Amino acid sequence: DLETYKQGIEKAGFKVESAQDISNDFNDLNKKDLVKLESQKTEFLKDFTEEELKHLHARWVKKISFTSDGYL
């Protein structure tokens, strides 16, 4: 949770000015980026390989999953 994360940061010697959960915003941004990647697949493949596309796609899906599950 947010309070535990804040305490960990403070234990590491940092001063926390404010703490807020922006998981939903982060998730929305990642979903938009994933849609953009998918919609520009043809353009992307002009400069990169199918393997690189699949890797990026999988990473975005993982970030969305981690955020939805409360890990990010």
Side-chain angles (χ1 to χ4, degrees):
D1 72 348
L2 189 59
E3 185 60 31
T4 302
Y5 184 73
K6 179 184 171 190
Q7 290 172 0
I9 298 294
E10 290 173 336
K11 281 183 182 180
F14 296 95
K15 181 180 179 188
V16 177
E17 296 290 330
S18 70
Q20 62 187 91
D21 185 352
I22 59 168
S23 298
N24 290 334
D25 296 333
F26 186 63
N27 220 17
D28 290 344
L29 178 63
N30 280 316
K31 287 177 182 178
K32 287 177 185 175
D33 285 342
L34 181 58
V35 168
K36 185 176 179 180
L37 176 68
E38 291 169 344
S39 71
Q40 296 180 352
K41 176 181 177 179
T42 303
E43 188 67 28
F44 182 90
L45 291 173
K46 289 179 182 177
D47 297 317
F48 301 97
T49 67
E50 182 78 29
E51 184 177 319
E52 290 169 313
L53 175 66
K54 287 179 182 179
H55 175 78
L56 282 177
H57 188 276
R59 295 301 300 169
W60 257 300
V61 170
K62 284 182 182 181
K63 284 195 273 188
I64 292 166
S65 176
F66 289 158
T67 304
S68 296
D69 294 342
Y71 295 112
L72 288 178

